[in-house]
Amino acid sequence: MSFAWPWQYSFPPFFTLQPNGDTRRKQLAAWCALVLGYCRRQRLHAMTVREAQDGPLFANRRLQRKLPLEAVQVVLEELRKQGNLEWLDKNKSSFLIMWKRPEEWGKLIYQWVLKNGLTNSVFTLYELTSGDDTENEEFHGLDESMLLRALQALQQEHKAEIITLDDGRGVKFF
Amino acid sequence: MHRRGVGAGAIAKKKLAEAKYKERGTVLAEDQLAQMSKQLDMFKTNLEEFASKHKQEIRKNPQFRVQFQDMCATIGVDPLASGKGFWSEMLGVGDFYYELGVQIIEVCLALKHRNGGLITLEELHQQVLKGRGKFAQDVSQDDLLRAIKKLKVLGNGFGIIPVGGTYLIQSVPAELNMDHTVVLQLAEKKGYVTVSEIKSSLKWETERAKQVLEHLLKEGMAWLDTQAAGDPQYWLPALFTELYSQEITPEEAKEAIP
């Protein structure tokens, strides 16, 4: 199923940062929702600004419109303020896009654990994000650092414990 | 020898004749009036009988409804004029338009943030029909216009702007004067308009054109596009056909509750 672009994506002015304050607020809200929805659909957890600019997200080729860099930065800053984005470097060239917060990921993972009767099992981080068993789960392909944060959240709730294995890290669920 | 027809005497005679004719004319007119009055009463009675007999049809069939209302208009009766009274009680027609008015307001409130309070009659029609569901009475665009006119009378700040063969319905109390309206009409063709187009079509000065466009931007009815090939383009979401029949989202529906 292909991504359902919102109506604004076909609307040429959507790619011009609007001069009117109220309209701009609506525009930014729509952009933030679009970025989160798109990344969620494509299971993207991290991106560089370059990738973002070159991809279909900020440029509609058919329409011959693209959101200029300054405006892209405004959108990314909005997402950061909302808690959905974290910069990975000082130069702000790449970022984590969190369409779910770490605690939300933790909850999802734990639900999967319970559903499959996997308490008291041990997993490597790799198995969780890339194993066959989790292929259909939303957290499949999750960025390792995000996964750790999710597990840390569960650890706080005594639902999991992060452990060190021979060749990396793992987790035990309770 | 005196000429015929002129002279004080002739004039006086003429005046007398005129007066007599006038009197006769008055008598005639009174007669006619009495006749017409009788006929009008007959019309009214017949119309009432007609309405009573075809009540269901009037409620169910939009075309029939238009014709019925046209008939009423011919004899100077407005079935919607008052909330109480024979017509609305008899047919429940008053309620019908009142309820429709409420629906219209709901749709306009829900979509206001998208289009700044301007919506085409087509889109309004589509959205209202969707909201009514399968088993509700069919409504026509004519019904919508009547309901909106009624809303206007009640002071709900609705406006009806003719554009290119259809209408734009304005549901926010924005100040839209003749200049704004005529630019909207110009924009209807392509969904957007530029300063040069306004200048060449309407023969205006640059400043006047810019003022109107600035106003539309300020009201949230227009968005700016600076990446067009020529002049910057001012687009109206209300005229953006790809936006038609987009579902009203749950967030938007929340806006519809005043």
Side-chain angles (χ1 to χ4, degrees):
Chain A
M1 199 181 72
S2 56
F3 181 64
W5 296 95
W7 70 268
Q8 290 96 333
Y9 188 70
S10 314
F11 191 53
F14 192 51
F15 297 83
T16 301
L17 196 57
Q18 290 304 301
N20 174 265
D22 286 333
T23 309
R24 179 189 304 201
R25 264 184 286 280
K26 291 182 205 166
Q27 180 188 28
L28 288 177
W31 269 114
C32 289
L34 172 53
V35 170
L36 291 176
Y38 179 80
C39 290
R40 181 191 193 132
R41 191 74 183 71
Q42 306 292 100
R43 303 257 187 111
L44 295 170
H45 299 279
M47 250 183 169
T48 63
V49 174
R50 172 98 270 146
E51 281 172 342
Q53 272 200 294
D54 290 343
L57 188 51
F58 290 114
N60 185 333
R61 223 147 279 199
R62 180 184 68 86
L63 220 58
Q64 294 186 305
R65 297 285 186 277
K66 73 191 264 191
L67 196 64
L69 183 57
E70 314 80 58
V72 170
Q73 285 164 342
V74 173
V75 172
L76 297 180
E77 175 58 16
E78 270 308 299
L79 285 166
R80 190 198 63 79
K81 278 197 253 174
Q82 285 174 190
N84 291 110
L85 183 149
E86 279 178 12
W87 291 108
L88 288 170
D89 63 326
K90 275 206 174 67
N91 299 328
K92 295 198 181 173
S93 65
S94 60
F95 55 91
L96 274 184
I97 188 76
M98 302 188 286
W99 27 276
K100 269 190 176 22
R101 289 192 314 276
E103 313 79 63
E104 291 170 317
W105 282 122
K107 198 163 162 204
L108 200 65
I109 292 169
Y110 196 65
Q111 276 172 3
W112 171 79
V113 165
L114 289 179
K115 199 170 82 166
N116 292 286
L118 296 166
T119 49
N120 293 312
S121 319
V122 173
F123 292 91
T124 63
L125 297 190
Y126 179 82
E127 277 174 320
L128 282 179
T129 60
S130 316
D132 293 334
D133 290 335
T134 66
E135 219 176 286
N136 294 323
E137 300 303 316
E138 217 180 338
F139 55 81
H140 188 86
L142 187 60
D143 184 78
E144 194 175 285
S145 57
M146 261 315 260
L147 176 61
L148 271 172
R149 288 162 74 166
L151 297 175
Q152 275 158 2
L154 284 178
Q155 194 164 246
Q156 295 228 320
E157 294 175 47
H158 306 292
K159 289 182 174 155
E161 188 185 331
I162 301 170
I163 54 187
T164 317
L165 301 170
D166 291 331
D167 52 351
R169 273 184 289 191
V171 59
K172 179 169 180 180
F173 293 106
F174 301 114
Chain B
M1 189 163 50
H2 51 90
R3 282 160 281 161
R4 273 203 255 176
V6 278
I11 294 174
K13 239 194 200 165
K14 209 163 168 215
K15 279 219 161 119
L16 188 57
E18 274 171 14
K20 282 226 154 106
Y21 273 124
K22 222 175 174 185
E23 216 180 86
R24 183 106 179 112
T26 316
V27 168
L28 270 177
E30 273 172 9
D31 254 350
Q32 281 180 326
L33 222 54
Q35 276 237 0
M36 273 161 58
S37 195
K38 251 197 345 206
Q39 279 186 327
L40 227 59
D41 280 341
M42 237 172 54
F43 272 140
K44 280 206 176 138
T45 315
N46 287 344
L47 209 51
E48 285 164 12
E49 265 177 35
F50 181 90
S52 155
K53 219 162 51 166
H54 297 273
K55 184 169 168 175
Q56 284 298 34
E57 203 57 35
I58 292 169
R59 295 206 62 128
K60 282 206 293 219
N61 186 332
Q63 276 123 321
F64 200 83
R65 199 153 50 232
V66 175
Q67 288 174 336
F68 172 69
Q69 286 178 101
D70 283 347
M71 277 202 308
C72 294
T74 313
I75 60 163
V77 174
D78 179 3
L80 308 183
S82 64
K84 307 186 212 288
F86 174 80
W87 295 100
S88 57
E89 269 164 23
M90 240 264 312
L91 302 172
V93 171
D95 277 342
F96 172 82
Y97 286 102
Y98 173 76
E99 280 161 19
L100 189 53
V102 171
Q103 272 198 288
I104 290 169
I105 292 177
E106 281 172 359
V107 168
C108 288
L109 278 176
L111 296 180
K112 188 173 68 167
H113 89 278
R114 276 192 211 174
N115 54 34
L118 275 184
I119 186 172
T120 60
L121 187 58
E122 274 79 24
E123 189 180 359
L124 182 60
H125 191 209
Q126 273 179 28
Q127 297 284 6
V128 165
L129 285 177
K130 261 203 249 173
R132 288 174 78 81
K134 289 192 294 193
F135 301 105
Q137 288 155 317
D138 193 13
V139 302
S140 64
Q141 291 188 1
D142 179 86
D143 288 321
L144 292 179
L145 284 173
R146 285 181 201 266
I148 292 167
K149 283 181 188 150
K150 196 157 163 73
L151 286 172
K152 278 180 71 155
V153 167
L154 295 173
N156 279 60
F158 270 74
I160 302 177
I161 303 165
V163 295
T166 176
Y167 298 93
L168 274 177
I169 309 300
Q170 179 192 351
S171 61
V172 291
E175 299 283 316
L176 287 187
N177 59 30
M178 277 296 296
D179 273 10
H180 304 130
T181 312
V182 80
V183 166
L184 288 178
Q185 289 165 342
L186 198 57
E188 191 268 340
K189 281 192 303 262
K190 294 185 279 186
Y192 67 85
V193 74
T194 63
V195 170
S196 349
E197 279 167 9
I198 294 174
K199 285 173 70 173
S200 65
S201 296
L202 305 175
K203 311 284 181 262
W204 287 2
E205 298 293 313
T206 306
E207 199 46 49
R208 188 176 175 187
K210 278 197 175 158
Q211 276 206 9
V212 169
L213 294 173
E214 279 307 308
H215 186 79
L216 293 177
L217 282 183
K218 192 163 76 78
E219 292 293 338
M221 292 175 175
W223 289 47
L224 176 65
D225 173 23
T226 56
Q227 293 178 43
D231 261 26
Q233 293 174 347
Y234 293 74
W235 289 72
L236 278 84
L239 298 170
F240 187 53
T241 47
E242 295 185 42
L243 186 46
Y244 281 15
S245 66
Q246 284 268 335
E247 297 295 325
I248 293 182
T249 65
E251 295 80 38
E252 287 168 332
K254 269 194 241 150
E255 287 299 313
I257 305 165

